Amino acid sequence: ITISASPLCGNSVNAEEYQPPIWKSYLYQLQQEAPRPKRIICPREVENRPKYYGREFHGIISREQADELLGGVEGAYILRESQRQPGCYTLALRFGNQTLNYRLFHDGKHFVGEKRFESIHDLVTDGLITLYIETKAAEYISKMTTNPIYEHIGYATLLREKKTNVTHEEHTAVDKISSLVRRAALTHNDNHFNYEKTHNFKVHTFRGPHWCEYCANFMWGLIAQGVRCSDCGLNVHKQCSKHVPNDCQPDLKRIKKVYCCDLTTLVKAHNTQRPMVVDICIREIEARGLKSEGLYRVSGFTEHIEDVKMAFDRDGEKADISANVYPDINIITGALKLYFRDLPIPVITYDTYSKFIDAAKISNADERLEAVHEVLMLLPPAHYETLRYLMIHLKKVTMNEKDNFMNAENLGIVFGPTLMRPPEDSTLTTLHDMRYQKLIVQILIENEDVLF
């Protein structure tokens, strides 16, 4: 790869200095050279032909007959029914001077492996591309990840905001690295909270040519050519995704909701230290609710709590939860508890759950506190910070116990199952662990100044 000698690895790069990378074209050229499918049509009408196959279906014939029909033509293919297993279908495909036979399946779409295709033609086209590239460039593909462009341009540009002096040719390349570019601006933002976050990769079908933003190589094939991070939009080969560091910078445009969104994803997308729901609700509760009897224990109206949830999902940090709109403070406490319950990964994560429960079972108070502190250190930074802030708040709640009648034990009963859930969805485990969940939250509140 050719990258200009701009200070890409330095502390700051502006748009004028940045030169887009040159995308590697070798695999794209190979895809263009790959054999094209040649359908060998059966001259007669075949009885009992499955309705989802066309004239390329030749009925029950042997491998030798199939081989003869293909006539040594590269890319030629037919479909046949197995002689040994009637009702099972085979794709016979000519590639590399030999006939390859694949067991063929249909469940509404055609497939021989993981990928699902609308038509046999598409399946064969993709198969020929893959066979051709993986035959011609096996060694090249195995080394694709050794010198990634990601190391050079990772998050080191500020183009998204400053696209001045960019020519039309550069524009195309710039668009292709838009996710890298967008995250660069966040990385160089002094207010950015540098929580580590894994990418949320999902198999993706790219329309038109696409290049991997990790290794700069073409993503070959007809469908499911690679994976895309559904949080930040990074596009990479499936094999490259294993090498991408945990540096996802979620794009707000891709985060549809506030509730039910992964905690670290939300704080990185909004560039905040903690989820804004937590900050805004706690600020409101401390402003007007600390002396409210049964705070957090008394429930607000469910419909009103849902309204608050919708307000946050719709308006984010601009959501109005003031006393003018929601005079009952229990609606705000209910909305905060619901936020924690709706997290896909609880504040006290599934990974640390059993360790916290084990710590709660220690009978010696000093040893128990030390064990709890050790497990706290295992929480992801955004989870730790959210828990720390919540415990400082709940300590304030207990300091008003003579008015609100809520001590650390009562709050532990309320927040235990809200902040921690067992990894396996077992009612029995939940019931068995409830007293330990309560105890953990109680310990965190009573000792927040020592533990955090």
Side-chain angles (χ1 to χ4, degrees), residues 318 342 435:
K318 294 186 176 67
D342 277 356
R435 63 193 174 118

Side-chain angles (χ1 to χ4, degrees), residues 351-382:
D351 290 346
T352 58
Y353 178 86
S354 60
K355 294 182 178 70
F356 273 108
I357 296 295
D358 290 343
K361 291 175 180 176
I362 296 171
S363 52
N364 180 287
D366 289 340
E367 287 177 18
R368 186 170 59 217
L369 198 63
E370 185 58 39
V372 169
H373 182 258
E374 281 178 19
V375 188
L376 275 175
M377 296 299 104
L378 302 176
L379 287 174

